[in-house]
Amino acid sequence: SRLPTFQPEASGEVTMGESGLRRYRGVLSGELVEGVLAGRLSGYDSQREAAVDNLHPGVSSRERDEQGLRGQLLWQPDETFSARLILDHDRRNENVALAASNYSQATVQRSAYLGYALPPIDPYAREVDHDRESVADVRQNGISLELNRYWDDGTTLTSISAYRDWRYDTRLDADGTGLAVAAGSAELDHWQFSQELRLAGSPHEQLDYVAGLYYLRQNLARDIGVGFGGDAAAFFLGDRPELNQPPFG
């Protein structure tokens, strides 16, 4: 990404497109302390209609919604040292419902037993009949600090410390029908920390070198859930009368 500039800079962008696409971007950059400290701020906001429409009464098709913000500070007290701090935050919320491309024979039979008419298979229609929303909420945050020390012979010592976290939260109509059979959910939490030390130089016009160390630590926690609705028992067992017989005749 571009460094903050000591000269004032500003730009904006607006994009409109099909399916209700609306995207706005903006950048501001400039000097904060004369000759020493500069900053840069960029952000975006984007919306778009859901790729798949849910026809089930009372259940909406949530549109795709994204926002992001990124800020930077560049400190250059003299020609031998520089520091760059970056912070960013992003969030995306969208409909993740999937249209069926095939129905198993069991699904057809069990749906008929409950008196439910499965929607026709037509991927190009981009329509579903789900009794609950299928949505995903994704958030991430990051921070990094880059320090550089420069010597007259062209040698540069660089340190980059960085942290990032990411959370994915989704709730799904697990059976993919208008029946209250099953619902799924998944929560994923990830974070990582990294540290890089790098020494680079050019002692000769025909020789360049880079040497360094890199450390990375990651952690991922997950919680996967499945729940069953009021139609589950009849859907799985209702068309199997043998299961309703007493165990001993």
Side-chain angles (χ1 to χ4, degrees):
S1 61
R2 295 187 59 183
L3 290 168
T5 59
F6 284 88
Q7 296 298 322
E9 178 183 302
S11 65
E13 177 184 327
V14 177
T15 303
M16 301 291 181
E18 62 180 7
S19 301
L21 174 64
R22 306 175 302 280
R23 181 179 297 127
Y24 312 95
R25 298 177 183 271
V27 177
L28 291 173
S29 184
E31 190 174 61
L32 300 177
V33 177
E34 184 177 357
V36 176
L37 183 65
R40 185 179 183 88
L41 182 66
S42 58
Y44 72 92
D45 181 88
S46 178
Q47 292 88 36
R48 187 171 186 170
E49 295 174 0
V52 177
D53 291 326
N54 192 347
L55 304 181
H56 196 85
V59 182
S60 64
S61 299
R62 188 178 302 186
E63 67 179 13
R64 179 167 181 163
D65 191 16
E66 297 180 80
Q67 293 86 33
L69 191 65
R70 180 184 178 93
Q72 299 185 63
L73 290 174
L74 176 62
W75 182 42
Q76 293 180 326
D78 53 47
E79 296 181 353
T80 67
F81 181 80
S82 70
R84 183 187 185 190
L85 178 67
I86 304 176
L87 298 96
D88 66 83
H89 169 77
D90 292 274
R91 178 175 182 178
R92 183 175 76 249
N93 194 293
E94 62 181 323
N95 176 14
V96 292
L98 298 177
S101 59
N102 179 64
Y103 294 127
S104 68
Q105 188 61 33
T107 297
V108 173
Q109 292 175 350
R110 292 169 181 175
S111 297
Y113 174 81
L114 290 175
Y116 174 72
L118 291 165
I121 298 296
D122 184 3
Y124 296 101
R126 296 180 178 271
E127 294 176 343
V128 297
D129 179 28
H130 294 175
D131 66 303
R132 66 179 65 240
E133 285 187 320
S134 293
V135 295
D137 186 22
V138 184
R139 304 183 188 188
Q140 60 175 325
N141 303 282
I143 181 171
S144 66
L145 177 63
E146 178 181 342
L147 306 175
N148 292 287
R149 174 69 167 87
Y150 309 102
W151 283 272
D152 293 338
D153 62 358
T155 302
T156 302
L157 177 64
T158 300
S159 168
I160 302 177
S161 307
Y163 171 86
R164 178 164 296 279
D165 59 53
W166 174 82
R167 179 180 175 87
Y168 178 84
D169 185 0
T170 184
R171 300 178 304 280
L172 304 170
D173 186 310
D175 56 83
T177 72
L179 298 171
V181 177
S185 65
E187 295 182 4
L188 305 178
D189 282 292
H190 172 268
W191 63 262
Q192 68 177 47
F193 170 79
S194 63
Q195 175 64 54
E196 179 181 357
L197 290 175
R198 184 174 67 241
L199 184 66
S202 181
H204 190 273
E205 62 180 7
Q206 297 181 343
L207 177 64
D208 297 329
Y209 72 86
V210 176
L213 297 172
Y214 184 77
Y215 170 80
L216 173 66
R217 183 178 180 184
Q218 295 179 304
N219 182 75
L220 174 63
R222 63 179 183 175
D223 184 6
I224 310 298
V226 177
F228 296 97
D231 294 325
F235 183 84
F236 290 116
L237 306 176
D239 65 340
R240 301 179 64 185
E242 70 277 9
L243 296 179
N244 296 321
Q245 299 296 324
F248 299 105

